[in-house]
């Protein structure tokens, strides 16, 4: 439904706000539209209708205003309402008049449709489209929509990353919290460790300063964040007392900042007072670093060294690890590209040594280098806390394109390692989509170009396309997606886990081994050949940076076809990590509400289709449609977690058995199986005792048995629901349900169809159940085509005639051209060898009817061929490529229906 509504909007169709006009021609369509009209009324729309339609709607208790086409009373003119644009949507369903009219005749309906077009009033003229559109409007509202990868097409090389983490983000000054976190989102960062130091003299050292920072972040942060507290010589006890609100201790030796530590004895006091499992960060270097590592070893502390800038410091940290110290470190991305920055003492000469020691680096950060470079370059009127975020991924993926890094390195050091080391919580439904091949050029007047002028001369690759946080799209192509959305960032101080050292940085240099079932995401370039480029523009948020020009591509391919997910695959050129995509919540509660929250299947045996009405089946089919959507998007829906199904099959089965088992597993349940060879039946145990036994272990039983009526008899002894999976030549209710669902999905309706059942109708339990289900629909014609010895049993025909005297039943011994020409559904069954006592009789009838291409040429273009499978010779393999061959799609529909059936039987509500 959301796809249909988005497709309509993409054509320029406008959603109605208040007034909807209805004009429905035929009585049949009036009846069909009534539930949808009621949905419109309940949704708060004001309804107008032409006189005949208005009378019909009012008879059903719905308030509607009648508008007249000719000689209308003042204020009730259809022409006036359309011409003055008082109508937001016009649903006009013309009657199908079979009488020839004069060429000069113009109906009122035509005139009103013409007016709607002339005055740009949205118009729908098809009953199916109208029902679909109304249902879609009722389900979705614009403010709850999400842009998904299936909603757009791109030819760029797209990679999906987890939300990035910046461990020591510069403390925003004044009211700059929102601006700084907006800049972080634009760079793909969804979590920040807010450093205890700002670019000015401010630092978080006590209760008041910590409260001030938290107040600034509350309701203004676009990213999740953790506040750090600065160590001073005077606050060991005060800092420890605030560890719950500021769980990271920042020990600074930066003498250029007024808040720093000079005496090592002060560090010792902090190590004594600070909680053992809470995080300690330091920016120490040289002799200060050696002393910090020694103190950490003496106090058995894990320590993280931030903003490492020299190879000597990295070697010292690596040596400490070799001696058993839990020490980790990070390096600013800009230290690796310092040869492109304005001159800062000692940085340029360390670039290559740092790259050569990449395996010793645990994490990447943005760090304080952008602010220092801006200060050194004399840049004014910028917020130092916003600098550097939007250049990080372009710089890193330029290095990836040059072969110096891999995508795995980027994700490990900017996401996985920070979370593991600092105990940061996972961010569900949070990810970043980047276009790795987009060439980003920073405008000369932007803040980042002022302190990093070299980026103008050497444009970098990689643009952040989209940032999603907790299932909400925050950023799309550089613009904040919903300008009215309040900042969604959270203070994470109370949800940090225990600090963990994790593996050493050397292990991070290699792609991490993936656990069974882990997923890898292949990028567009690995699935598509390169294509030609042209110019476009990428507009960044005006609050952060002006528009950025990019190179884009002429030919476009769907991202959904590009993101190829495969198990146990790690590709150096693609991102290999677990990505949790936002999964739309199921709408099963809405389905139940539309059916009055009544569940006729709950804890009932499902033994025969005669148990259920047409309305019951429609509930089942509505739930099956939702199951289909959920499976296609997320693979499973854990409704039945903790439940167990016993699959008991005393006859061979491939599709029914595996379909039921897969359905249970996709619903989060468990399955155990039994058959006549592996159970105590081989020892003479009765079916009734077997059912009693399995009823003690399981929550539901699916049972197939060769004797007609055996499942019904066994159900009397079961204290849990029993589902009939086939009882000899008796019934197969779930097959009939999935067959009917298949017809509805493939052809749109069952009413008015001609359905031809071909083959062994005497022994085929599937056709017995199907005929009974089809008898519940209107104007259905059933053709029975079979050898005389395998004709449909009289009991079935009599049952159909009693239940639905309006259903036409015809018997044939030949599949004639006349029958084929009128058939909408050709339902073919195999002649079942296991049901014959005489093999000669079987051989004489097994190939009585064979469906091949010659037969298909005589059929309608919009019909379908179905088969419960397995097939033998009754359908030639050449038919498989015909689009009308629905029997393999029918199998998949079966899983959705059986998921729905299991869920409805075991769940009262959703």
């Amino acid at each position: 439904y959301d796809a249909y509504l988005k497709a309509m909007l993409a054509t320029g169709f406008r959603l109605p706000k208040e007034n909807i006009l209805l004009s429905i021609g035929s009585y049949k369509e009036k009846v069909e539209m009534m539930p949808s009209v009621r949905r419109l009324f309940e949704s708060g729309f004001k309804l107008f209708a032409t006189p005949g339609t208005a009378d019909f709607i009012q008879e059903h208790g719905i308030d509607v205003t009648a508008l007249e086409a000719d000689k209308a009373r003042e204020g009730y003119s259809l022409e006036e309402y359309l011409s003055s644009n008082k109508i937001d949507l016009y649903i006009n369903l013309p009657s199908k008049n079979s009488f020839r009219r004069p060429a000069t005749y113009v109906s009122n309906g035509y005139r009103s449709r013409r007016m709607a077009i002339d005055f740009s009033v949205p118009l729908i003229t098809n009953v199916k489209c109208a029902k679909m559109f109304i249902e879609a409007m009722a389900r979705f509202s614009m403010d709850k929509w999400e842009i998904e990868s299936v909603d757009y097409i791109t030819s760029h090389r797209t990679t999906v990353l987890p939300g990035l983490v910046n461990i020591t983000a510069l403390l925003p000054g004044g009211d700059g919290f929102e601006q700084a976190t907006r800049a972080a989102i634009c760079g793909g960062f969804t979590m920040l460790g807010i450093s205890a130091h700002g670019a000015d003299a401010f630092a978080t050292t006590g209760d008041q300063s910590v409260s001030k920072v938290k107040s600034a972040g509350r309701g203004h942060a676009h990213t999740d964040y953790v506040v750090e507290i600065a160590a001073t010589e005077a606050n060991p006890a005060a800092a420890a007392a605030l560890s719950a609100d500021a769980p990271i201790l920042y020990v600074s030796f930066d003498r250029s900042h007024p808040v720093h530590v000079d005496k090592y004895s002060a560090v010792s006091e902090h190590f004594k007072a600070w909680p053992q499992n809470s995080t300690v960060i330091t920016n120490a270097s040289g002799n200060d670093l050696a002393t910090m590592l020694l103190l950490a070893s003496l106090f058995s502390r894990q320590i993280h060294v931030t903003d490492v800038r020299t190879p000597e410091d990295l070697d010292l940290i690596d040596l400490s690890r070799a001696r058993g110290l839990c020490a980790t470190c990070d390096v600013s991305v800009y230290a690796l590209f310092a040869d492109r920055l304005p001159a800062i003492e000692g940085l340029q000469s360390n670039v290559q040594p740092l790259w050569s020691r990449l395996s010793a680096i645990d994490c990447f950060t943005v760090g304080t280098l952008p602010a220092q470079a801006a200060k050194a370059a004399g840049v004014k009127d910028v917020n130092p806390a916003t600098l550097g975020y939007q250049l990080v991924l372009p710089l890193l993926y330029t290095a990836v394109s040059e072969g110096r890094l891999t995508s795995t390195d980027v994700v490990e050091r900017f996401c996985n390692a920070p979370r593991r080391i600092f105990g940061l919580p996972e961010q569900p439904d949070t990810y970043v989509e980047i276009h790795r091949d987009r060439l980003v050029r920073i405008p000369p007047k932007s803040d980042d170009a002022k302190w990093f002028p070299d980026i103008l001369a050497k444009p970098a690759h990689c643009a952040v396309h989209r940032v999603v946080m907790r299932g909400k799209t925050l950023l799309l192509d550089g613009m904040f997606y919903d300008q009215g959305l309040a900042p969604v960032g959270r203070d994470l101080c109370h949800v940090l886990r225990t600090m963990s050292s994790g593996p050493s940085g050397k292990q991070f240099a290699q792609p991490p081994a993936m656990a069974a079932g882990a997923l890898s995401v292949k990028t567009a370039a690995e699935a598509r050949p390169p294509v030609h480029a042209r110019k476009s523009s990428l507009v960044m948020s005006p609050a952060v940076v002006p528009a950025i020009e990019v190179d884009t591509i002429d030919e476009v391919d769907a991202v959904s076809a590009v993101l190829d997910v495969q198990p146990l695959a790690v590709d150096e050129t693609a991102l290999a990590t677990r990505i949790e995509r936002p999964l739309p919540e199921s709408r099963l509660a809405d389905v139940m509400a539309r059916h009055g929250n009544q569940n006729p299947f709950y804890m009932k045996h499902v033994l025969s289709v005669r148990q259920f009405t047409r309305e019951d089946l429609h509930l089942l089919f509505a739930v099956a449609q939702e199951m289909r959507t959920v499976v296609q998007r997320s693979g499973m829906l854990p409704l039945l977690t903790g439940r167990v199904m016993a699959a008991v099959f005393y006859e061979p089965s491939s599709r029914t058995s595996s379909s039921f088992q897969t359905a249970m597993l996709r619903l989060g349940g468990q399955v155990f199986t039994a058959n006549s060879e592996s159970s105590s039946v081989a020892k003479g145990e009765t079916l009734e005792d077997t059912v009693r036994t399995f009823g003690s272990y399981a929550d539901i039983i699916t049972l197939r048995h060769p004797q007609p009526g055996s499942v019904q008899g066994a159900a009397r002894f079961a204290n849990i629901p029993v589902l009939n999976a086939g009882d000899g030549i008796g019934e197969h209710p779930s097959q009939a349900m999935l067959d009917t669902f298949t017809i509805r999905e493939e052809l749109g309706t069952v009413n008015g169809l001609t359905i031809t059942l071909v083959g062994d109708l005497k022994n085929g339990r599937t056709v017995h159940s199907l005929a009974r289900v089809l008898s519940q629909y209107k104007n259905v014609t059933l053709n029975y085509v079979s050898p005389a010895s395998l004709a449909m049993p009289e009991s079935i025909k009599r049952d159909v005639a009693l239940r639905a005297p309006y259903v036409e039943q015809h018997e044939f011994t030949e599949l004639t051209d006349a029958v084929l020409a009128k058939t909408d559904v050709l339902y073919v069954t195999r002649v079942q060898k296991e049901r014959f006592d005489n093999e000669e009789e079987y051989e004489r009838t097994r190939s009585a009817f064979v469906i091949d291409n010659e037969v298909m040429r005589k059929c309608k273009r919009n019909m379908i061929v179905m088969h419960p499978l397995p097939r033998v010779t009754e359908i030639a393999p050449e038919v498989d490529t015909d689009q009308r061959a629905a029997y393999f799609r029918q199998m998949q529909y079966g899983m959705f229906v059986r998921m729905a059936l299991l869920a409805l039987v075991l769940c009262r509500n959703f």
Side-chain angles (χ1 to χ4, degrees), residues 73-90:
R73 295 169 295 158
E74 184 177 354
Y76 294 92
S77 169
L78 186 148
E79 181 176 344
E80 176 191 344
Y81 269 77
L82 288 174
S83 61
S84 59
N85 287 113
K86 294 180 180 178
I87 299 299
D88 299 322
L89 173 65
Y90 186 16

Side-chain angles (χ1 to χ4, degrees), residues 149 158-162 397 411 430-434 436 521-523 559 563 575-581:
S149 58
T158 302
T159 298
V160 183
L161 308 175
Y397 273 93
V411 173
T430 299
Y431 61 93
V432 180
E433 288 182 4
I434 61 172
R436 291 173 55 177
V521 181
K522 288 193 175 181
T523 57
V559 167
L563 296 177
L575 170 64
T577 186
R578 297 171 188 262
I579 301 295
E580 292 189 3
R581 284 287 199 160

Side-chain angles (χ1 to χ4, degrees), residues 538-552:
L538 171 65
V539 181
M540 298 298 290
S541 171
V544 181
V545 67
I548 292 179
E549 295 182 356
V550 299
D551 283 353
T552 185

